[in-house]
Each structure stands twice: as structure tokens, then as C-alpha cells.
Amino acid sequence: MKKTKKYIGFLLACILFLTGCGASSDGGAKDDKTPSDTTLNDKEDTAVKEPTPDKKPVLSDLRVLISSDVHCTDLLEWYGVDYSDRMQHWVDSVLKEHAENPFDLIVINGDISLDYWINGGSVLGKGEGTAGIFVNEYLTQLPDDLPVYIMAGNHEQYSDERWLALTGNHRQGAMVVGGRLFLMLDNFSGKLDPDYHHDGEYTLTDVAYIEEMMAQYPEHDVYLIAHYFDTAKESAAFKKLVAENDRIKGLFAGHTHKSGIVETDASWGNKPIAQTGNFAYFKDSAKESFWGFRELVITEENAYSQYIIVESVATVDGVSKKFDRTVLNQVCYYGTAPALPSQNDPLEKYTLLYDKIIEGSIKGDEGMKKTNRVQLIFDNQVNTKWCVRPTSADGSVTVEWQMTKAVQIDAYAISTANDWPDRNPDAWTLYGKNDPDGEWTVLSSISGGNLPKELFTMSDIFTIENPGTYQYYKLTVTENFNNRDLYQFSELILLQKK
């Protein structure tokens, strides 16, 4: 029998404040409660003890998960993974993280579904949404004692009454956890319960609400979470509040499906907005914003946030890819953030083979000009490139080279050049042989290489499943991203396992 999620019962009808569920500095859960902590009744009711607002906050270490754009929907399939498998992968990834280092709060900041959508959401298109499936079938698998707040995004245009019935919390609310004030702000309440398909109407951040809650808790650090902060539309009053109030430490937003840090200007006090990623489809390059979520770690000495790409296997542009757990896009609010793990260096496990290539052996299609010659893809300089117009009948371009001796290439990567991402290679084949007059052996064939659109950026590492030891190699590029007239890239990086 499926267990019932107890957080549905304990969230208050208007605003819920919770404290005292922080983790100790070594990751263990704290058992002691302070008089200012709220307490959660084990029974499924709404009995909650609210903290005394004028008391000095009693602080505990916290780890908070902020996850957005999960998109539980049967309308679309992304990257060859059925939506139910994708939702279960989200649950399993959260549980794995929680088991290794417990969370004290989970905030899901919008778009758990595609219930309302300009292209035909579930509610109007099928008569029933899937947000409830995410709440009832997947969130119920999380630990009962782990507080969860579920925010509405632009694809959840439910009235507050319907959202409360669906999730157990209001569209906008607040929680106090570990002596810090978290404000969940509703910025898509402009067109609720629509009778036609659209993508939601952005509304300005509720400054009065923020000021009211901060006045009730005058000594608490504050973290603002929304589905989205539109920096171009936001009011001067909100920006002034953020800029002038040192208690406001961090801002978090989803909606864009990105995981980076949005830098703001002086009108915001230069306070960054941390993007909370997605578990649906990415809008950055795959290696920068694939499936994951953002963690916020708070102690008395330090507070920082970073994006966690979870271990996943998915098909991206026709290529099956494995994404290792990766931590990136870090921002520090005070104190000192830890150094990012070395696993973020994708080349750490490999030896680069530049010194094994015979420079005089490199030959290939002539570059557009002298500064675009083919030899430059092996100069270990990302600011030079091979830019070439194909002359072959099939429109392909080829580079050949010889190693100093027979060498095994286990993997390789390609770096983008200084302009025009449309010229990036998108399909190619790598070959090897030992007899200069012999037949070529196919080592790697890629269709839909999905090179980064960012300039001067290395691609994912392409692993050769059955590498051999060869002295002669060639790479034939048969397609680029979107410009058949010209191909270009800056480096072909040959790798051997250490």
C-alpha cells in the first residue's frame, strides 16, 4: 500500500513556518529542539507550533534542495526516457543525495507539470492535469519527516484554492527552517484558471509581502525563491529592497531550464540569481544544464549554493550519453565556499596525446586562409581554428595524421572556435589503421554530436568503445550544425586513459 505523504497534512492554510530540522555540521540530523522551533505532529493534522517572531533565531546547519521544471507530463518525451521513468529518476536521485547528506528542506519552485501550456496543456487538452500524479505518486516516496514546499510555475495556472487542495500549500508562502526565513514568491498569478491555452502571465514580486514577513522575523537571514525573476520587468521597489537589505542573502529562480548564475547590476545590489536547472529539457549545452537541481548549504560561518547534475543516461541528438554526477555553477553568499570537486575536470582521467602526433604528417582539406589551416587543430591553442569549405562530392572534409608510433586513443573531444556555432561539426567518423596502404577501421561514428553553442568551449568527451592500437588516423566530418558551406573547430583533443 502506498504510504501517505505527511507534509500534505501539516502545511498551514496560509503561511507555514518550520524550524529545527537542520543537519549537524557532519551531515547528521539534529535531535535537539529549541523553544523557537516549530514542531511537527506525527499525526496527519495541521497542528504546528509557530515560532515567536521577536526571539533571536536559534541557528542550525542546513542543506536545502531547490528543484524546478520537473515537467511530469505524458504530452512529450525528452531524450528517449518515458516520463514515468524520468520522474522516478528524479525521486531516486533526490533519495540518493539525501542518504549521503540529508536535506532539511525541499523547495520545488514551479513547473512540476505541463498542465497549462500555450501549445495545449493537459488540463484543457485532456481534461485532467498531471501535477497531481507528481504529488501523489512520486513525492510520496520521499521521507515523511522531510519538509517540502511545492510552488506553482507558469504551467500551473491553478487558483490558490485549487493549488492548496492539490499540493497542501498555498501558491505563496514562507517557512522558517534552522533560524532562516525562506520566502516562496508567486510571480505567475496574473491569469489563473484560464479557459484557453497560454503560458502564464508574469506578475511583479510582492514587495509588501516580503516586507511584512521580514518585519515579523527581524533578525533572520532571508532567501527569496520564485519560479522566475524577470530582471527586465521587475519593479524598482523590489530591486531597491534587494539592494539595500543585507539580510537578503540569496535569490533562486527556475523557468529558464538553466543552471548558471545570473549576474545583476547595482540596482539589485549586484546580488546574483542562482538558476535551479531542470529535469525535462535543457536550454544550455548538455554538459552545462542537464538533469539536476540546486543545493543551498548554510552554516553560521558559510553559505553557498551549487548546481548538481545527477548521474543520468539519455539520448541527446541521437547519441546515447552518460552524465556523471557533477557539481558546478557555484555562488557564495558569505564566508568561503568549498573548492569544487576535481571530477569537474573532464580531462583529469586522461593523458593528452599532442606530443605523439607527427606535425609534418597532418594533411587535410585546405583551410579558407593561412590562419585557418588544418594543422591548427593540433596546436593545443583554442584561439586558433581550422575553417574549411568542403570540395568533395559528398560535401565532407577530412584530416589525416600519423602518430610517432602505434598508439591507442581511448577518447577524444572537439573544441568550438571563435564564432559561428552553425559551422560546428555535427556528424563525423574517426578511423585508424597500421598499414599506410591498408583499409581503415571505424573507431567512432557520431551523428548529432551536439557540440556546445558556446565559443572556445570543449565538447563532451566521446569515448571509443573498442579502441585499438594504430599509427595512422583520420577524421571525416560529414555534417555541421546548420551551415553546409563552411566547417570549423579549434581543437581535436586526442585522449588516452591514465
Side-chain angles (χ1 to χ4, degrees), residues 374-421:
V374 67
Q375 289 80 9
L376 296 175
I377 63 174
F378 292 121
D379 68 349
N380 200 14
Q381 299 289 327
V382 75
N383 60 343
T384 62
K385 68 180 180 182
W386 179 34
C387 182
V388 58
R389 189 182 303 279
T391 58
S392 63
D394 61 2
S396 65
V397 297
T398 297
V399 54
E400 298 184 32
W401 67 95
Q402 181 182 348
M403 312 299 282
T404 55
K405 61 179 181 179
V407 170
Q408 178 171 303
I409 298 176
D410 296 303
Y412 62 96
I414 299 174
S415 289
T416 59
N418 63 317
D419 59 9
W420 296 103

Side-chain angles (χ1 to χ4, degrees), residues 274-337:
Q275 297 172 305
T276 53
N278 76 97
F279 229 85
Y281 65 96
F282 56 77
K283 293 182 179 179
D284 281 340
S285 66
K287 69 175 185 177
E288 292 295 331
S289 190
F290 205 67
W291 293 343
F293 30 69
R294 183 165 284 278
E295 70 169 348
L296 169 63
V297 178
I298 308 173
T299 71
E300 290 191 60
E301 296 79 22
N302 309 297
Y304 62 92
S305 176
Q306 51 198 15
Y307 187 72
I308 300 172
I309 293 177
V310 302
E311 183 177 335
S312 302
V313 176
T315 301
V316 180
D317 293 334
V319 179
S320 180
K321 294 190 176 184
K322 181 179 183 300
F323 298 87
D324 295 327
R325 184 187 185 277
T326 308
V327 180
L328 69 169
N329 293 329
Q330 187 182 80
V331 58
C332 186
Y333 302 111
Y334 60 81
T336 304

Side-chain angles (χ1 to χ4, degrees), residues 105-117:
L105 170 65
I106 291 180
V107 178
I108 303 173
N109 58 320
D111 278 5
I112 61 175
S113 69
L114 270 177
D115 284 357
Y116 290 93
W117 184 32

Side-chain angles (χ1 to χ4, degrees), residues 155-220:
H155 293 305
E156 284 92 40
Q157 295 157 45
Y158 293 95
S159 67
D160 188 60
E161 181 180 7
R162 292 176 67 201
W163 190 248
L164 177 63
L166 184 66
T167 66
N169 59 250
H170 286 269
R171 291 178 61 94
Q172 181 163 279
M175 301 177 80
V176 171
V177 184
R180 285 87 175 181
L181 177 61
F182 296 88
L183 298 181
M184 278 61 75
L185 304 168
D186 183 10
N187 284 352
F188 276 97
S189 59
K191 199 177 291 291
L192 301 180
D193 285 337
D195 57 4
Y196 63 97
H197 293 301
H198 69 90
D199 271 342
E201 184 175 292
Y202 186 82
T203 52
L204 299 180
T205 302
D206 190 343
V207 174
Y209 176 74
I210 298 173
E211 291 177 333
E212 176 189 355
M213 299 314 303
M214 290 180 66
Q216 289 189 34
Y217 296 89
E219 297 191 50
H220 290 63

Side-chain angles (χ1 to χ4, degrees), residues 17 22 38 110 154 156 230 309 316 318 390 392 406 413 494:
F17 301 100
T38 57
N154 60 297
E156 284 92 40
D230 191 328
I309 293 177
V316 180
S392 63
L494 308 178

